[in-house]
Amino acid sequence: MSTAKGEILIIEDEGAIAEIVVDYLKRDGFDTEHRVDGNEVQSLIATGRFALILLDVMLPGADGFELCRAIRKVSAIPIIMMTARVEEIDRLIGLELGADDYVCKPFSPREVVARVKAVLRRHSPGESLKQADSLPLEIDQDSFVLRLYGKKIDLTPSEFKLVAALGAKPGRVWSRAQLLDVFLGEKDVFDRTIDSHIKNIRKKIAQYFPDLDLIQSVYGIGYRLEL
Ligand code: CA
């Protein structure tokens, strides 16, 4: 029987890591099922028991990338990838695998639980309806206007383009290189330009919402927008 919080499927071959993740999720009220490989993932998903999958990348047999692609062919279930290697992070960002988020090892189990909750929130139909009612973030592509909780934030065209790119997929991590693509065809735009635009956007948002961490830095990679 699954709780109201839903059951989390953990596919992780390292017992110690799985154990601590299971432990923290249970403490937070989640039911869990742990598997050391993805052999039965399709039939497990088909049971409809699971609200989310935590999927390790390096696994015996089919790896996390293959599994993620295979799962996406049959299910929209939220997937958070777990990875230990920087090269894998590049692949996670670069490929359209269909994963919803990822966490880097070594991670704090609290961070994993927080990411699980954030992804579930994004996927909860009730929550998205609520969001649609209050519209915390409005990005008007036609008038280049950004509104946060109804407050108009004055941005330059470059800043607006960045927010629009980040906001197109909330929660997704963008590398600086990917954000630079937003400015393709424009001269003199470098990695550091992205950082300084982000800094200015944050300042403008902080004038109205000093505690809102809308655009988050992802260490060593880039940025993500999350409400
Ligand atoms: Ca592993």
Side-chain angles (χ1 to χ4, degrees):
M1 259 277 287
S2 67
T3 63
K5 275 196 160 181
E7 196 167 355
I8 311 296
L9 176 61
I10 297 127
I11 304 178
E12 165 65 85
D13 57 323
E14 287 160 86
I17 291 177
E19 209 172 294
I20 192 162
V21 169
V22 163
D23 189 41
Y24 269 76
L25 284 168
K26 280 191 169 152
R27 265 192 243 178
D28 227 281
F30 290 98
D31 284 335
T32 57
E33 165 125 11
H34 169 223
R35 294 295 168 109
V36 294
D37 59 44
N39 287 348
E40 289 169 33
V41 68
Q42 307 277 16
S43 53
L44 284 167
I45 293 170
T47 64
R49 275 163 49 198
F50 297 100
L52 182 145
I53 304 177
L54 274 166
L55 180 58
D56 187 31
V57 170
M58 291 291 283
L59 290 166
D63 70 18
F65 292 115
E66 286 174 56
L67 287 169
C68 186
R69 271 193 218 96
I71 294 165
R72 272 293 165 267
K73 284 183 188 153
V74 296
S75 168
I77 187 169
I79 300 172
I80 299 177
M81 309 286 291
M82 301 185 286
T83 183
R85 298 196 322 201
V86 177
E87 314 88 84
E88 288 172 350
I89 296 168
D90 288 343
R91 283 184 70 193
L92 282 171
I93 296 174
L95 296 178
E96 285 297 328
L97 281 173
D100 294 88
D101 203 352
Y102 66 87
V103 287
C104 304
K105 297 174 181 176
F107 45 65
S108 89
R110 279 203 187 91
E111 184 200 340
V112 176
V113 174
R115 300 241 63 89
V116 165
K117 287 183 181 168
V119 170
L120 287 176
R121 256 199 315 274
R122 290 211 297 272
H123 282 79
S124 140
E127 279 298 320
S128 55
L129 269 180
K130 249 190 269 163
Q131 286 195 351
D133 284 346
S134 57
L135 285 173
L137 180 69
E138 289 174 78
I139 298 170
D140 187 336
Q141 299 275 4
D142 295 328
S143 60
F144 272 43
V145 165
L146 170 74
R147 278 201 176 76
L148 257 180
Y149 299 101
K151 263 277 178 248
K152 187 180 165 198
I153 312 285
D154 285 314
L155 299 175
T156 66
S158 296
E159 291 163 2
F160 180 85
K161 277 190 213 169
L162 266 180
V163 174
L166 289 162
K169 282 189 178 173
R172 181 199 154 152
V173 179
W174 299 77
S175 67
R176 287 181 180 78
Q178 287 172 327
L179 290 172
L180 277 173
D181 286 345
V182 172
F183 295 97
L184 261 188
E186 292 178 27
K187 284 179 197 160
D188 303 327
V189 180
F190 305 102
D191 286 19
R192 260 186 234 141
T193 314
I194 298 286
D195 293 339
S196 74
H197 282 320
I198 298 275
K199 209 170 135 195
N200 290 333
I201 296 165
R202 283 176 173 157
K203 253 191 235 163
K204 289 176 176 179
I205 291 173
Q207 289 177 343
Y208 301 102
F209 306 99
D211 298 324
L212 189 71
D213 190 15
L214 183 72
I215 299 174
Q216 300 165 4
S217 301
V218 181
Y219 182 73
I221 302 165
Y223 297 98
R224 81 170 142 232
L225 179 149
E226 196 147 44
L227 281 164

